[in-house]
C-alpha cells in the first residue's frame, strides 16, 4: 500500500505549500522540490527491480543487451526531463520547462538512432532484390 503513503505525502505537502505560499513563496517552492525528490527516491528501489526483471528477460530471450540498455536510457531521459520540467513549471517558469522537454525529446531521438538503423537494415534485408 505504498500508493497510500505517496498520496498522503503529496496531500500533506500540498496543504503546507498552500499555507506557506502566501507568506514565503521561496519556501513553498523548496518544499515542492523537496517533496518531488523525496517521492522519486521512494521509488528508486521499485525502478531497480523493474530493470533487473527486464535484464533477465532480455538474457533469456537472447536480445542484444545494447538495445535494452539504450531503451532503458531513453526511458530514463523521458522521466528525468518530465520531472525537471514539472519542477521548473512549479516555479512559474513555463518557458524553461518547455525547453527542458524539448531537450529531452532531442536526446531521445539521438539515443534512438542505433535502434532505428537496425530496424531499417532488417526491413531492407527482408525485401527481395
Amino acid at each position: 500500500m505504498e500508493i497510500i503513503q505517496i498520496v498522503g505525502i503529496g496531500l500533506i505537502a500540498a496543504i503546507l505549500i498552500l499555507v506557506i505560499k502566501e507568506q514565503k513563496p521561496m519556501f513553498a517552492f523548496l518544499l515542492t522540490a523537496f517533496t518531488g525528490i523525496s517521492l522519486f527516491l521512494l521509488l528508486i528501489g521499485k525502478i531497480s527491480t523493474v530493470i533487473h526483471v527486464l535484464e533477465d528477460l532480455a538474457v533469456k530471450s537472447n536480445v542484444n543487451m545494447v538495445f535494452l540498455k539504450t531503451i532503458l536510457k531513453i526511458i530514463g531521459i523521458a522521466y528525468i526531463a518530465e520531472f525537471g520540467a514539472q519542477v521548473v513549471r512549479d516555479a512559474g517558469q513555463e518557458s524553461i520547462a518547455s525547453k527542458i522537454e524539448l531537450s529531452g525529446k532531442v536526446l531521445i531521438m539521438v539515443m534512438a538512432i542505433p535502434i532505428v538503423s537496425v530496424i531499417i537494415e532488417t526491413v531492407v534485408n527482408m525485401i527481395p532484390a
Side-chain angles (χ1 to χ4, degrees):
M1 291 313 237
E2 292 167 346
I3 191 65
I4 294 173
Q5 291 174 331
I6 291 169
V7 171
I9 291 169
L11 289 173
I12 291 168
I15 292 168
L16 288 174
I17 290 165
L18 288 173
V19 171
I20 295 172
K21 195 174 200 173
E22 295 295 321
Q23 302 298 318
K24 302 281 185 180
M26 182 56 143
F27 288 132
F29 170 71
L30 290 174
L31 181 58
T32 300
F34 176 76
T35 303
I37 292 168
S38 298
L39 292 175
F40 180 74
L41 291 175
L42 281 173
L43 297 174
I44 291 283
K46 301 295 181 190
I47 294 169
S48 176
T49 303
V50 170
I51 290 171
H52 289 301
V53 168
L54 291 174
E55 287 175 346
D56 289 343
L57 288 172
V59 168
K60 289 177 184 175
S61 61
N62 294 324
V63 172
N64 190 341
M65 290 303 286
V66 173
F67 296 134
L68 178 65
K69 290 186 185 286
T70 301
I71 290 170
L72 290 175
K73 286 179 186 177
I74 288 170
I75 292 169
I77 289 169
Y79 281 135
I80 291 168
E82 177 68 20
F83 178 77
Q86 287 177 3
V87 170
V88 172
R89 196 170 281 119
D90 287 343
Q93 300 298 317
E94 182 66 35
S95 175
I96 295 173
S98 296
K99 300 328 182 264
I100 291 172
E101 290 173 340
L102 176 64
S103 299
K105 291 172 185 175
V106 169
L107 289 173
I108 286 170
M109 289 293 294
V110 170
M111 295 286 301
I113 288 173
I115 295 173
V116 172
S117 298
V118 169
I119 292 170
I120 291 173
E121 286 176 19
T122 303
V123 169
V124 168
N125 289 335
M126 293 172 65
I127 297 175

